[in-house]
Amino acid sequence: MRSYKIGVIKGDGIGPEIVDEAIKVLDAVSVAQGFNLKYDEFLLGGAAIDETGVPLPEETIQGVKKCDAVLFGAIGGPKWDNLERHLRPETGLLGLRKEMGTFANLRPAMVYDELVNASSLKPSVIQGVDIMVVRELTGGIYFGQPRELHEDKAFNTMVYTKEEVERIARVAFDIAMKRDKRVCSVDKANVLEVSQFWREIVEEIAKEYPEVELSHMYVDNAAMQLIRDPKQFDVILTGNIFGDILSDAASMLSGSIGLLPSASTGKGVGLYEPIHGSAPDIAGQGIANPLATISSASMMLRYALGEEEAADKIDNAIKKALAEGYRTGDLADYDAKEIVTCSEMGDIVADYASR
Ligand code: NAD
């Protein structure tokens, strides 16, 4: 029997509630599909601070590296907000991503038909949107040297090496092969040499994927096109700073933060997590929406374990739950037939996914 080891980091706030529901669904679908999942739990963020005094214990760093993939909830909360920066929960998460060498951030932005009214854009513009933003995560201007801050001037450096562009481009093309086979590479090649370089390398990598259609777009135009006609995009490939901005804009097309998953992948083990935070305002009430985390578990099956049928089952189960009118409180205003708790939503999706 196929068997996988999953690292589980529940984190803080609603983290434990939503991760428990994702595991419920993973258990149901793995039984149905005939593979085995073993879970190993690790501490991160506030929970780790409370237990060990640091936000990223060595045991977590070493432990996750031995897993096939890591499912993560969220970290942070007011309890730890006044700690020094190096001791804060967020520092633990950034440190973990660095340790795991995750250079690619995958952020799907899809709109469920049943929730077209939840978006701030017109239903005709967003119905059927299904975009994957592939953002380079460990290079570009956020990390480039030199960087200096003086009294009379300050500067950062946007730098990309050939290897960095090649590997992120391959991630985007590989994903496009599993989707609609279209990649739009977003840059600012009309102004920046580094973007011109990026574009040339992406063109080179595209030759390895003759079935994938490659286009290029300037980032200012891409921002506009995302709002004007988001359906034109399949995979958006872009650098760190442009991807940071565009993926946030794209994610809001769906209208609800509780629905969208993400993945950070790279050289080794990938981290799969919802895009939202630990929602301390609703933690412990059993009303959080677990769908973003369940959807992250589906991405984990698809991209880390190659269990595509199981991933499809989860995606379809989420759609069915929404089509049947089940909503957690955050989506109560959008065609709800029945308001359910976090745990009830997990039960419903697990049931559909196991069929
Ligand atoms: P947040 O995403 O936690 O919450 C924003 C709003 O969305 C809140 O009203 C919350 O109740 C709601 N919300 C979020 N997820 C939801 C869900 N699944 N179901 C229903 N409603 C949901 O952002 P924030 O309030 O800015 O941050 C809270 C804490 O989370 C902070 O400590 C922040 O640093 C941390 N954070 C962590 C991550 C992460 O772990 N990756 C990401 C962002 C923020």
Side-chain angles (χ1 to χ4, degrees), residues 14 72 74-77 90 93 257 273 276-282 289:
I14 60 169
F72 167 51
I75 46 97
E90 294 79 1
L93 178 56
I257 201 169
E273 56 179 301
H276 59 72
S278 60
D281 53 334
I282 57 166
N289 186 344

Side-chain angles (χ1 to χ4, degrees), residues 39-350:
Y39 305 101
D40 225 345
E41 222 177 290
F42 301 103
L43 291 170
L44 182 73
I49 295 168
D50 289 353
E51 191 111 339
T52 70
V54 292
L56 175 57
E58 189 60 30
E59 208 185 329
T60 300
I61 298 174
Q62 297 311 326
V64 296
K65 288 180 181 165
K66 296 187 192 120
C67 297
D68 292 305
V70 179
L71 182 67
F72 167 51
I75 46 97
K79 182 177 174 192
W80 306 281
D81 273 353
N82 296 323
L83 294 173
E84 284 176 57
R85 180 150 299 280
H86 72 283
L87 284 176
R88 289 182 52 145
E90 294 79 1
T91 307
L93 178 56
L94 291 179
L96 181 67
R97 287 190 180 133
K98 195 165 166 223
E99 286 287 343
M100 292 172 76
T102 52
F103 62 80
N105 186 233
L106 319 183
R107 287 258 298 250
M110 65 275 196
V111 175
Y112 293 103
D113 283 352
E114 295 72 22
L115 296 174
V116 284
N117 293 321
S119 174
S120 54
L121 296 185
K122 277 189 270 188
S124 60
V125 173
I126 53 124
Q127 190 148 29
V129 162
D130 182 5
I131 303 170
M132 177 71 85
V133 180
V134 177
R135 166 190 170 197
E136 201 290 327
L137 203 56
T138 54
I141 197 164
Y142 291 169
F143 294 91
Q145 297 289 344
R147 52 194 300 159
E148 285 177 26
L149 174 61
H150 302 279
E151 262 189 18
D152 56 343
K153 70 172 178 185
F155 56 86
N156 291 85
T157 305
M158 193 190 265
V159 56
Y160 269 114
T161 64
K162 188 165 184 250
E163 191 207 339
E164 283 173 327
V165 184
E166 283 176 349
R167 67 186 186 181
I168 191 71
R170 285 203 178 91
V171 170
F173 282 102
D174 283 339
I175 286 174
M177 286 297 290
K178 295 182 179 178
R179 295 171 47 98
D180 201 31
K181 299 192 173 66
R182 289 181 293 124
V183 170
C184 178
S185 174
V186 172
D187 60 36
K188 193 70 184 167
N190 50 343
V191 180
L192 301 173
E193 282 77 5
V194 60
S195 281
Q196 196 182 325
F197 177 78
W198 171 284
R199 201 175 264 223
E200 283 163 16
I201 293 168
V202 172
E203 293 274 359
E204 278 303 307
I205 299 298
K207 291 179 189 157
E208 298 170 17
Y209 300 84
E211 286 177 56
V212 178
E213 178 194 308
L214 171 67
S215 59
H216 300 278
M217 197 177 274
Y218 298 134
V219 63
D220 42 348
N221 187 26
M224 185 182 80
Q225 296 296 337
L226 264 178
I227 309 301
R228 192 189 72 84
D229 177 22
K231 271 182 271 194
Q232 69 184 284
F233 296 107
D234 178 26
V235 174
I236 292 178
L237 160 65
T238 191
N240 204 343
I241 188 168
F242 300 152
D244 191 4
I245 299 161
L246 290 183
S247 61
D248 261 29
S251 67
M252 273 302 99
L253 297 171
S254 88
S256 173
I257 201 169
L259 290 172
L260 293 175
S262 78
S264 303
T265 68
K267 291 178 194 143
V269 182
L271 190 65
Y272 295 80
E273 56 179 301
I275 68 161
H276 59 72
S278 60
D281 53 334
I282 57 166
Q285 298 175 32
I287 57 170
N289 186 344
L291 293 179
T293 315
I294 294 172
S295 198
S296 304
S298 158
M299 283 186 85
M300 181 179 80
L301 293 176
R302 190 180 305 282
Y303 296 113
L305 311 184
E307 294 287 351
E308 298 211 13
E309 266 182 42
D312 287 344
K313 279 196 161 182
I314 295 181
D315 293 350
N316 290 333
I318 293 173
K319 282 186 198 140
K320 188 164 159 61
L322 292 172
E324 299 283 325
Y326 295 111
R327 303 278 187 272
T328 41
D330 53 318
L331 297 172
D333 292 343
Y334 305 106
D335 305 320
K337 292 208 186 81
E338 190 178 336
I339 306 299
V340 294
T341 64
C342 181
S343 171
E344 285 166 344
M345 185 59 104
D347 290 340
I348 292 161
V349 177

